[in-house]
Structure formats: structure tokens, C-alpha cells
Amino acid sequence: MTASAGAVTGPSVETTTSISESTTVTVTNVVDGDTIDIEYQNGSSDTVRLLGVDTPETYGSVSPGEFEGVPDTQAGRECLQAAGENASAYATDQLADQTVTLQFDSQADRRGDYGRLLAYVQVDGSNFNYDLVERGHARVYDSTFSQSDSFYSAESAAQSAERNVWSCRTPNDDDGSSGGDASALTIDWVNAEASSLNDERVKITNTGSSSIDLDGFTLSDEAGHSHTFAEFTLGAGDSVYVHTGSGTNDADDRYMGYGAEIWNDDGDTATVQTAAGTTVAQLAY
């Protein structure tokens, strides 16, 4: 799986003088949006809490008070819950089974709650912690670390744009969508019986009369394989093809980054959900 599809390159933690050391590891499990399990090259394992960021809870109660401006209402909580699930899906899409570099900050504690490592995760030249904040999947965790100024700047921009979790400041009680009528999305077909990995693809069309901002939307199958759209707008009447394999994203084609076919030949269900977790298009075949 290619973790760099649509990735945003944040400030390089390698150039920060307070970075004390780094180590290369394999991500064995994505616990949620800000926590991963890893394996060292010697075969031992550990758990990493991504330094400086916090995504909404997925295993317990969400806390609107921790996310500035999100109302403590049922709609606000439901929106945060969905945003947490989307952050987890995004982290899984970008990090699962990847070889990454952990980098430690001498201005921060080496380990946090429950003995978990605190580190930046560097993948394909990008600071994934910063990426989460810039895309609005996470807030900046109020703590001491050398990259805090750049992280807070990214958070402010994400808040202004109401990206992902920050869309929960004004939760929509209907479908949680923004930036166009998401109900106009349709899944036209799934080409499961493909001749090559990238020939296995899904066609999604905007049947409406206005563009739809798909940032944070996800396409998934029944087994939990998913693709999260990032900084992508689908024009009125336009279609996008989501390929299973790897490639360069453009206005017509997006790539999930998997190394094997995921859509079952004998039947599956394709689902598109908004950043708030509302299903807006589905096709069973």
C-alpha cells in the first residue's frame, strides 16, 4: 500500500535541532487515529502515541470540550464520533503495514500515559502527525514539543476551512455534509473482475448541478478496505475512478494503494460516507 497518496508534507522533523534520535519500524496495527502498534527490526513490539496530536475517541465517549467550538449536543457528539472513525480510517489507509521512521523530540517526554512511546511518524518524507492536524483529522494536544508553533498554525487553517473534525463546529443534523449536495453522489459500478490491479476500480459520479467537496469522504468495501479522499472536489456531472492499486492522483483518477485485489468477484458492497460518517451512496453487486 502506498502511504503517500494525497499526503501533505509538513515541516521536516529531521531538521529540528531538538530531535534526539530516530528509528525505523513497521506498523503492525493502527489502533485509532493517533495510536499505532509497531515492531522493531529485532522483532520486539511497542505502542506509539503520535506526539502533539489528538483525534476524537472511537472506543469511548467523545469530549466536545476538547475540540474548540464543537457544541456539546447530540449532533456535535455524533459528528465527533464519526470524525474519529474517519481519522482512524485515514491513519489505516496511510500507515497500516508501512515501514516508517519514528523520531523523538528532546523537548517532549519519551513516553506518555500507559507507557506508550511519544513520537513523530515520518512516512515517505512527510510528518504524519502534522498531516493529521493540517487535514483537520486531529487537534493539537496541549503539551510541550518543538513543533508546536507550526502545528498550531496548521490547526488554525483547518479550523477556518472547517476541515473534517472542525466541521463539527456546525454539525448538520441531516447528513453531516458540506460543500455541495452529497446526496447527488452515485456509485455507478464496481469493476471487480479485472484484468489488472488498477483495472479493478469503482466509478463514482456527481449527478447534481453543483460541485461536491469530497475532502474527508471515504469509499469502503464490506471487509473494511477504504480510501479517504483528500483535497478533492468532484464537479457537477463529473465522475472519478477509484483504482485499487497505486498511481498518481488527478482530477479523474484516485488510487487506494493496495497491493492486491480487494473487491470480491462473487459479490461485495461499495459505500461512500461523508466526513461526518453519513452514508450518501451505496452499491451492492
Side-chain angles (χ1 to χ4, degrees), residues 8-269:
V8 174
T9 302
S12 173
V13 292
E14 292 179 326
T15 61
T16 304
T17 57
S18 58
I19 297 303
S20 58
E21 61 181 292
S22 63
T23 185
T24 299
V25 300
T26 300
V27 179
T28 58
N29 178 50
V30 176
V31 179
D32 55 26
D34 55 36
T35 307
I36 59 175
D37 294 328
I38 57 95
E39 182 177 279
Y40 297 104
Q41 292 179 337
N42 66 4
S44 61
S45 60
D46 214 331
T47 298
V48 179
R49 179 68 162 75
L50 274 63
L51 178 63
V53 303
D54 182 43
T55 60
E57 294 293 329
T58 56
Y59 295 103
S61 299
V62 293
S63 302
E66 295 179 347
F67 293 84
E68 182 182 358
V70 176
D72 191 359
T73 61
Q74 181 176 351
R77 288 177 173 275
E78 289 178 352
C79 184
L80 273 183
Q81 183 73 39
E85 293 171 356
N86 288 335
S88 294
Y90 180 69
T92 299
D93 187 53
Q94 299 294 303
L95 300 179
D97 302 320
Q98 293 296 300
T99 298
V100 303
T101 300
L102 301 183
Q103 295 184 308
F104 304 101
D105 193 326
S106 62
Q107 293 186 18
D109 294 333
R110 182 61 171 258
R111 290 188 183 270
D113 295 340
Y114 313 109
R116 298 174 298 187
L117 282 173
L118 298 175
Y120 302 105
V121 174
Q122 189 90 347
V123 55
D124 287 347
S126 175
N127 183 340
F128 185 73
N129 306 40
Y130 180 91
D131 184 27
L132 283 175
V133 175
E134 187 165 51
R135 294 191 187 280
H137 285 304
R139 70 181 179 98
V140 179
Y141 189 76
D142 186 15
S143 58
T144 300
F145 62 103
S146 66
Q147 297 292 308
S148 60
D149 287 347
S150 62
F151 276 44
Y152 277 118
S153 294
E155 179 187 68
S156 179
Q159 289 173 336
S160 296
E162 295 190 341
R163 297 186 190 122
N164 292 303
V165 68
W166 303 116
S167 69
C168 297
R169 287 175 153 186
T170 53
N172 188 320
D173 292 332
D174 295 326
D175 66 3
S177 64
S178 61
D181 182 9
S183 66
L185 289 175
T186 63
I187 301 174
D188 297 323
W189 44 256
V190 176
N191 186 31
E193 297 183 8
S195 58
S196 65
L197 188 56
N198 276 336
D199 189 41
E200 185 179 78
R201 64 198 190 280
V202 180
K203 181 182 180 183
I204 301 172
T205 299
N206 175 7
T207 63
S209 58
S210 60
S211 298
I212 301 174
D213 181 2
L214 296 185
D215 188 36
F217 282 44
T218 59
L219 167 69
S220 61
D221 67 357
E222 290 179 352
H225 302 100
S226 68
H227 171 74
T228 301
F229 290 92
E231 299 179 357
F232 180 73
T233 298
L234 188 60
D238 291 344
S239 298
V240 61
Y241 298 87
V242 183
H243 304 263
T244 297
S246 300
T248 302
N249 291 327
D250 57 29
D252 301 311
D253 300 278
R254 313 299 281 188
Y255 295 86
M256 301 180 78
Y258 288 98
E261 295 182 0
I262 63 171
W263 298 101
N264 296 327
D265 292 350
D266 57 354
D268 209 332
T269 301

